[in-house]
Amino acid sequence: MKLRLFTAIAITAMAMISCSEDTETIGSSITNESDKMVFSTGLYQATSRSIMADSVYSKNFDCYFGKVKDPETNSYVKNEFMAQFNMLEGFNLPDKSTILGESDGDIAADSCEIWLIFNRSKCYGDSLTPIKIKVKELDKPVEDGSYYSNFNPAIEGYVRKSGIAKSSSFALSNLHFSDSLRKTSGYTKFASISLNDPYTDKDGNTYNNYGTFLMRQYYKNPEQFKNAYTFIHTLVPGFNFEVSDGLGVMANIAQIDLVTQYRYKTDTTHTATIYLSSTPEVLQTSHIENDKAALTRLIADNSCTYIKSPAGIFTEVTLPVDDISQAHANDSLLSVSISFERQNSGVQNAQFPISTPDNILMVQKDSLYSFFENKTMYDYTTSFMATLATNAYTFSNIGNLITQMARQKAEGMKNDAAWEAKHPDWNKVVLVPVAISSKTSYDSYGNSTSTISGIHNQLGLSSTKLVGGANSPIQVKVIYARFKQ
């Protein structure tokens, strides 16, 4: 009976605690004499500091491209990426004899382009500012693995020396198209990179464009197109996208397509398109360059802490685990809450202010890297997510984490008196800016439900200052309970 009542009373206690500091009599109206609970509260202090992110796990599909000047540090941030293209099983082309395009006595594609489709709501900077991009063909595929934002395929030797190295420029408003077209409801903001120049493959064969190379390879050996792995490892290992010039734009790339157009004839003439997309089934990585010296200057500010992306600054928090667990050794934790209030950064009036992170993840410092590598979902035991509300990020109950940390220390100290010295991060968590992905499901009535399906490092521009630092401890509010003896 007591165990069943404990949960119900705990919920009631957490709801009532904000209304009264006198908790001695809470529960007397809903339990009999033998089941009365005694509640108490405690206020403790956590400490926080800014730490360098250095690099973050970048194998995800929240892709950014561009170079901007950070108004908070007056330093430059650059985002580039590498992308492979998926080949769906069952891919096929019409009979070769029906293809109408021709070059050098063989079939040919009419055109080939790479399309970068923008998510304008996540882009940063002046929509009219041009930025120059260089697209380079890879010589070999980047194999599946754990890649961080300091990984650069060009430096690591993945770029083909005599392969495609095409330069192009674009603006977010894409002025290559007419005003009337850009104002139509069906228009999608995108940049196109032409691959219509002559292309020479690794065997020395030259084609009038890259699309023709793809089509002739299909008719020569369709087995190369049977699935994504074979396509990437025998024919198209991918492309690297580098910023070659321009400043003031950071574009969010929602979709990357390799688009080949061709014509074929049956009873009539048809125009067809081969769309190859960079999807979650293949690999995409981001390469981020930050000014470490500028970030170090922010980290040295002890009057606050920072959370900054991409691959910028995290906030480390040391939780008062010993104080909380030892002060009421015979009581149970009902609730442990901590809130991180925002401070004004002082750059709100910049022409293009950086956005504040919508969501931050609290994760144990020892698990910071494995969390993202293993595609873990926050579980409210060792990891938690908070959304910005009322100018603060509030973690309403981290009691499970406090209990687990205290248990790990107690078990470790039983076997090794030096355990704490060997595990200096045992009571530390890190606050990380994150982006979330979601999926939508529909019931039989057509009603939709959206659920979070993934948590990723935020690779776009975001920044906030938090109350904290060496001279500003943060309150941790605790509610305890025990059965009255």
Side-chain angles (χ1 to χ4, degrees), residues 62-221:
D62 196 21
C63 176
Y64 288 82
F65 181 86
K67 184 178 181 179
V68 299
K69 189 173 185 178
D70 182 344
E72 193 169 40
T73 62
N74 288 318
S75 63
Y76 298 106
V77 181
K78 184 166 69 172
N79 229 321
E80 303 172 322
F81 66 94
M82 180 283 303
Q84 297 173 347
F85 293 94
N86 192 19
M87 173 57 62
L88 298 178
E89 294 187 22
F91 172 82
N92 61 77
L93 292 176
D95 188 274
K96 184 176 181 179
S97 64
T98 67
I99 302 298
L100 294 178
E102 187 271 336
S103 175
D104 299 325
D106 202 346
I107 61 104
D110 294 325
S111 66
C112 186
E113 297 177 325
I114 292 177
W115 290 359
L116 306 179
I117 301 174
F118 311 137
N119 181 343
R120 192 64 183 87
S121 65
K122 292 184 178 181
C123 293
Y124 174 89
D126 188 343
S127 64
L128 299 178
T129 297
I131 189 162
K132 194 169 184 179
I133 184 172
K134 177 161 281 190
V135 180
K136 295 182 179 180
E137 179 188 7
L138 297 188
D139 184 60
K140 58 184 178 181
V142 177
E143 300 294 348
D144 195 15
S146 296
Y147 294 95
Y148 282 75
S149 56
N150 55 5
F151 171 71
N152 187 340
I155 293 177
E156 298 296 331
Y158 284 90
V159 172
R160 183 184 167 201
K161 292 181 179 179
S162 57
I164 292 173
K166 181 63 182 287
S167 293
S168 183
S169 63
F170 69 87
L172 295 177
S173 291
N174 204 338
L175 299 182
H176 294 294
F177 297 96
S178 66
D179 289 343
S180 58
L181 176 61
R182 287 186 284 115
K183 290 178 181 178
T184 59
S185 59
Y187 172 73
T188 299
K189 292 181 172 60
F190 73 102
S192 62
I193 302 153
S194 172
L195 300 183
N196 290 317
D197 296 329
Y199 170 73
T200 301
D201 66 16
K202 294 180 180 180
D203 295 326
N205 301 309
T206 300
Y207 309 82
N208 69 323
N209 63 46
Y210 191 73
T212 297
F213 160 72
L214 292 177
M215 293 184 68
R216 290 186 187 175
Q217 292 301 311
Y218 172 83
Y219 291 114
K220 179 180 178 181
N221 184 8

Side-chain angles (χ1 to χ4, degrees), residues 377-390:
M377 181 63 70
Y378 58 93
D379 58 7
Y380 294 110
T381 299
T382 60
S383 55
F384 306 79
M385 192 174 75
T387 299
L388 180 64
T390 321

Side-chain angles (χ1 to χ4, degrees), residues 239-251:
F239 292 87
N240 199 42
F241 298 78
E242 304 173 8
V243 177
S244 60
D245 199 7
L247 177 68
V249 173
M250 189 69 76

